[in-house]
Amino acid sequence: MAFEGLTEKLSNAFKKLRGKGRLSEADVKESMREIRLALLEADVNYKVVKDFIKKTTGRCVGTDVLESLTPAQMIVKIVNEELTALMGSENQKLKIASQPPTVVMLVGLQGAGKTTNGAKLAGLFKKQNKNPLLAACDIYRPAAIKQLQVVGEQLGIPVFEMGQTNPVDIAKAAVAHAVRHGNDMVFLDTAGRLHVEEAVKPDEILLVVDAMTGQDAVSAAKTFDEYLDITGVMLSKLDGDARGGAALSIKAVTGKPIKFVSMGEKPDSLEPFYPDRMAKRILGMGDVVGIIEKAQEAADAEQLEAAERMLREGFTMNDMLDQMKAVKKMGGMKGILGMLPGGQRALNQMGGNLDEGIFDKNEAIIMSMTKEERLRPSIINGQRRARIAKGAGVTPTEVNSLMKQWGEMNKMMGRMRTMANQAQAGGKKGKKGKKGKKMRMPNIPGLDAMGLGGMGGLGTGGPKSDMDLLRQMEAQMRNKK
């Protein structure tokens, strides 16, 4: 993902600060010099870097910071706040017209990903119970209309097209078609350089820019804004090896917010841009809220009922298989790990690659079990393990590893069942339920083989603990029933 190099360099700069008891003004300025170099190497606009360092240094050399008992943490907090402000402070939502349909025009240079990401954006709003329509207004690029039709079919979204006619006429006709057929949103896929906005007066003009082009993306955004007065930016290919400078520069240079970012090729890989979450990920703090939101999208009512059954009856191999499928649905371990505090650093240490094929291997092992073995894994003895290994084409050691992970998960379910029973009985806490203690999480199936076994734990105390967030997620899912 973008920002990997920047995250590593910033972490090293903060690590030096944490190694010192008290900080002097010289220590702060040396750290700011390293941060400035890291931002420049990440292809952030040099004027933006200059202003950022000046403002951040001014806050960091104050007596409140230098005389604090934890000056290094105060500096990290200040840098986090300034990075968030640099990218726009808060998420900017798409403007919805008071009188449907809402017209969104997509513009940008060829190759930036307008067609694909425009369809992804329509798919995102379809999930929010909107009725979108895609309009093929790009008559110049070969196969642009066909591409939009293919992507629209994948997402189940209708596509309006009139062939190689005037794009302005197509846009007008698309809006009229939406009014007649009850489409409350129209997404105009333009060639990126035509004044369609004069004809249809769009509610939003979104510029799609390729994050991998660095400062060229910023220059394109500035030029398009001068001619079209864009309302927001959509960054594509942010999951690639881009250095991330565009995301940190666009808002400061153009004054227009980044509203959406594309994190992959899949239809559901487009997501709203949250400056505060992105700043935390850049600083290696993770994005726990983002993980929970992905879990909410992946979960359904049946899975919530399955979770209740697991608490009552225990953890089966079928549950483990469902868990692995849910991880894949949430973007795989690489995507989830990149959102965990320190996760990006762990990925970098492994060369940025995870062998997620271990999930397929574990699935083969589970599918080689009988129905009774999947429901009652405790009956699987040595003879059965040898048969399962042979059926799955793996070694008995790999079967033993999966069985060990199942045992850890089953034990955790037992502890959670005990905690739930105590809460229902009057809120009494056992030794493992005391406030502030942590319940160690078992390994997610496949993590051992990836070199990531036994990561962290879930805090069971405090008003904003991960367990509280998970309970809140469950409550929200119940309300959807």
Side-chain angles (χ1 to χ4, degrees):
M1 184 194 147
F3 304 116
E4 289 179 7
L6 178 59
T7 299
E8 186 175 358
K9 289 181 174 66
L10 292 178
S11 297
N12 290 337
F14 295 139
K15 187 177 180 180
K16 292 178 183 177
L17 290 177
R18 292 189 184 100
K20 300 179 180 180
R22 294 184 66 84
L23 298 179
S24 64
E25 188 171 328
D27 293 328
V28 173
K29 289 185 176 179
E30 173 61 23
S31 178
M32 289 300 118
R33 189 186 72 83
E34 293 183 27
I35 292 174
R36 182 177 71 248
L37 291 174
L39 291 171
L40 291 172
E41 289 177 11
D43 206 17
V44 181
N45 182 279
Y46 77 96
K47 290 182 179 178
V48 174
V49 174
K50 183 179 178 181
D51 293 340
F52 175 83
I53 294 298
K54 181 180 179 180
K55 190 173 181 180
T56 306
T57 303
R59 291 185 61 188
C60 289
V61 296
T63 55
D64 291 344
V65 175
L66 297 180
E67 295 181 5
S68 168
L69 293 175
T70 56
Q73 292 181 18
M74 292 281 286
I75 290 175
V76 173
K77 180 176 179 291
I78 290 171
V79 172
N80 178 39
E81 291 171 353
E82 292 299 328
L83 274 177
T84 301
L86 186 65
M87 293 185 285
S89 295
E90 59 185 19
N91 169 250
Q92 297 290 324
K93 298 184 182 298
L94 209 65
K95 178 185 176 183
I96 303 297
S98 56
Q99 182 68 35
T102 299
V103 180
V104 180
M105 188 171 79
L106 299 157
V107 300
L109 299 175
Q110 286 191 357
K114 293 187 300 297
T115 301
T116 303
N117 286 291
K120 288 180 183 179
L121 184 58
L124 186 67
F125 279 94
K126 184 181 178 182
K127 290 181 180 178
Q128 299 174 18
N129 298 319
K130 296 292 184 181
N131 184 20
L133 174 71
L134 291 167
C137 300
D138 185 355
I139 64 170
Y140 298 98
R141 184 169 63 85
I145 297 174
K146 182 63 178 177
Q147 180 188 357
L148 190 65
Q149 289 174 329
V150 170
V151 181
E153 185 178 352
Q154 290 176 348
L155 294 168
I157 299 172
V159 176
F160 181 86
E161 59 93 11
M162 292 172 55
Q164 306 293 320
T165 57
N166 189 317
V168 174
D169 293 336
I170 297 173
K172 288 180 179 179
V175 174
H177 177 90
V179 173
R180 291 195 305 270
H181 293 82
N183 299 104
D184 49 14
M185 297 192 79
V186 180
F187 294 87
L188 305 176
D189 177 34
T190 73
R193 53 188 181 273
L194 302 174
H195 294 281
V196 177
E197 80 284 353
E198 295 177 359
V200 295
K201 304 295 181 185
D203 300 284
E204 288 271 359
I205 302 178
L206 290 183
L207 172 67
V208 183
V209 294
D210 185 346
M212 297 182 71
T213 58
Q215 287 306 299
D216 286 341
V218 179
S219 300
K222 188 175 181 181
T223 303
F224 269 95
D225 186 47
E226 290 173 355
Y227 282 92
L228 295 176
D229 190 23
I230 61 175
T231 58
V233 177
M234 185 190 301
L235 272 181
S236 67
K237 306 176 188 176
L238 199 61
D239 61 315
D241 56 0
R243 287 176 289 178
L248 291 169
S249 305
I250 284 178
K251 177 64 167 65
V253 172
T254 66
K256 300 302 170 66
I258 299 173
K259 294 194 173 184
F260 299 93
V261 291
S262 177
M263 305 295 289
E265 295 295 326
K266 295 182 179 179
D268 59 353
S269 62
L270 189 77
E271 56 189 53
F273 181 73
Y274 291 90
D276 54 338
R277 299 185 193 178
M278 186 59 72
K280 287 182 179 179
R281 292 177 70 175
I282 292 172
L283 295 175
M285 297 177 182
D287 181 11
V288 176
V289 176
I291 293 176
I292 291 176
E293 287 183 350
K294 285 183 178 290
Q296 285 178 315
E297 292 175 6
D300 55 29
E302 289 183 4
Q303 288 171 319
L304 285 174
E305 291 174 3
E308 291 178 349
R309 179 192 51 74
M310 280 186 266
L311 282 176
R312 291 194 311 269
E313 303 171 8
F315 190 72
T316 70
M317 283 295 177
N318 290 330
D319 297 325
M320 182 173 277
L321 185 61
D322 290 340
Q323 192 180 74
M324 289 188 286
K325 290 178 180 178
V327 169
K328 286 183 180 180
K329 194 174 178 181
M330 289 168 64
M333 278 310 305
K334 187 173 181 180
I336 296 173
L337 187 60
M339 299 172 77
L340 288 172
Q344 192 61 56
R345 186 167 62 251
L347 271 175
N348 293 340
Q349 291 171 353
M350 293 181 292
N353 294 315
L354 281 177
D355 180 16
E356 302 206 26
I358 188 66
F359 288 107
D360 297 327
K361 187 177 291 186
N362 284 345
E363 184 175 348
I365 293 173
I366 294 174
M367 296 308 295
S368 296
M369 299 176 184
T370 66
K371 183 177 179 180
E372 185 181 10
E373 286 169 345
R374 290 199 294 270
L375 291 173
R376 296 172 55 212
S378 57
I379 68 173
I380 301 177
N381 55 24
Q383 187 176 2
R384 289 175 183 259
R385 294 184 190 201
R387 190 205 77 241
I388 292 167
K390 189 174 181 180
V394 300
T395 64
T397 303
E398 290 171 309
V399 177
N400 292 339
S401 176
L402 184 66
M403 291 299 299
K404 182 181 177 181
Q405 291 165 8
W406 166 80
E408 291 178 353
M409 294 293 290
N410 201 35
K411 287 178 183 177
M412 186 199 73
M413 286 297 167
R415 288 195 292 268
M416 291 179 68
R417 181 165 58 250
T418 301
M419 290 166 60
N421 291 338
Q422 289 173 344
Q424 290 178 356
K428 293 182 180 179
K429 294 183 173 66
K431 290 182 179 179
K432 293 183 181 179
K434 290 180 180 178
K435 187 175 181 179
K437 293 287 185 181
K438 287 190 175 182
M439 179 174 66
R440 179 170 176 75
M441 286 294 291
N443 299 334
I444 295 174
L447 281 189
D448 276 336
M450 295 179 187
L452 295 167
M455 286 188 63
L458 287 179
T460 58
K464 292 293 182 181
S465 69
D466 292 338
M467 288 298 289
D468 287 325
L469 288 171
L470 289 171
R471 291 190 190 100
Q472 182 181 352
M473 179 186 80
E474 181 183 4
Q476 290 174 352
M477 284 301 299
R478 290 187 183 286
N479 291 333
K480 290 181 181 180
K481 286 187 179 183

